[in-house]
Amino acid sequence: MSTERALQTAIATAREAGALLRTFLHRPLHIHEKARRADLVTDADRSSEQLIVERLRAAFPSSTIVGEESGVHDGTGSERWYVDPLDGTTNFAHGYPIFCVSIGYERDGELMAGVIYAPFYDELFAASRGAGATLNGTPIRVSRIAKLADAMTCTGFRPADYDRNGAHFQTMSRTAQAVRRDGSAALDLASVACGRFDGFWEFDLRAWDVAAGAMLVREAGGTVSAIGGSAFRTDGGSILATNGPIHEEMLAVLAKDA
Ligand code: IPD
Ligand code: CA
Ligand code: CA
């Protein structure tokens, strides 16, 4: 039941899954498109998820595991894991190194811990409720940037979602110092937590994309809400995660084009 044991289990598991992903990098991949265009899955995603589910199940037999590729593995207890075995699959399939493993841990409906591991960079982000966030064991904080005009922001969207995102992307590109579209929502959130990005927004994300990252941003001193400004919910779809000072300005830009 202890959060610390969950955190350590997630850390060890994310590292192991990340090492497995690295072994797929330099050999031919089997790449399939899922129901939506440009929504890819590879044998690396599936192998990583299988490993993670096995490890979490062995360590926490009564917990529920929600995995992107294999669905819900029901448990009898109040603990729940959100697993993205490879976030940034399109990047991975092209050999672009922005991808990660993301594991979020919830108890009684509250996020308690989150771990994101970027295997190419060997960067392990970890956070647990009330204990702060770390990168490779060193405490991290969000940035101190005070104005959107000085901010490096990031977003993500799929080809079919361009209509909804195009206006936001354009206005934000004109207003912020920079906008990036890095292709891994979980790692984008980790980048907000450690101050590389000052803000990140995206619609239509799933719990496995955001659970760990939202935990990291909060524990690193940042602010997390839905894009409309209401309270963030793991299964709520949209997310706006910032360093705090630029949150209102980003909300205003996103409200304008909504
Ligand atoms: C995707 C990535 C991408 C985001 C998509 C996600 P996947 O996850 O996080 O950056 O724009 O919305 O679905 O499919 O690579 O795990
Ligand atoms: Ca994902
Ligand atoms: Ca994924």
Side-chain angles (χ1 to χ4, degrees), residues 1 5 19 24 40-41 45 48 64 70 77 81 92 94 98 103 126 129 136 139-140 147 150 164 169 178-179 244 250:
M1 273 292 269
R5 190 167 80 83
F24 281 87
L40 307 181
V41 62
D45 299 64
S48 173
T64 293
S70 60
W81 300 90
F92 186 84
H94 288 266
I98 306 286
I103 303 177
R129 202 179 187 86
N136 288 347
I140 49 172
K147 293 193 311 239
D150 298 325
R164 167 143 62 142
F169 191 70
V179 181
M250 285 191 75

Side-chain angles (χ1 to χ4, degrees), residues 69 84 120 162:
E69 308 305 341
D84 194 330
F120 187 86
Y162 187 79

Side-chain angles (χ1 to χ4, degrees), residues 9-86:
T9 302
I11 289 173
T13 304
R15 279 195 183 283
E16 201 183 345
L20 177 65
L21 290 179
R22 272 195 299 261
T23 68
F24 281 87
L25 264 180
H26 301 293
R27 52 181 156 117
L29 272 179
H30 297 102
I31 304 170
H32 302 281
E33 205 163 54
K34 294 200 261 188
R36 296 184 298 175
R37 189 172 91 75
D39 191 0
L40 307 181
V41 62
T42 72
D43 35 350
D45 299 64
R46 295 201 177 100
S47 304
S48 173
E49 179 148 326
Q50 195 185 343
L51 182 152
I52 295 168
V53 170
E54 276 172 23
R55 296 294 181 270
L56 297 181
R57 177 54 82 229
F60 289 77
S62 68
S63 63
T64 293
I65 304 171
V66 183
E68 177 177 11
E69 308 305 341
S70 60
V72 180
H73 304 252
D74 272 322
T76 51
S78 66
E79 294 160 293
R80 184 175 274 258
W81 300 90
Y82 295 105
V83 175
D84 194 330
L86 169 45

Side-chain angles (χ1 to χ4, degrees), residues 133-177:
T134 58
L135 165 50
N136 288 347
T138 301
I140 49 172
R141 293 282 305 169
V142 292
S143 75
R144 291 174 190 274
I145 294 286
K147 293 193 311 239
L148 186 52
D150 298 325
M152 169 89 114
T153 64
C154 182
T155 187
F157 47 88
R158 295 184 183 281
D161 295 331
Y162 187 79
D163 287 347
R164 167 143 62 142
N165 290 277
H168 287 144
F169 191 70
Q170 198 178 65
T171 312
M172 203 67 82
S173 300
R174 290 202 172 107
T175 315
Q177 189 177 75

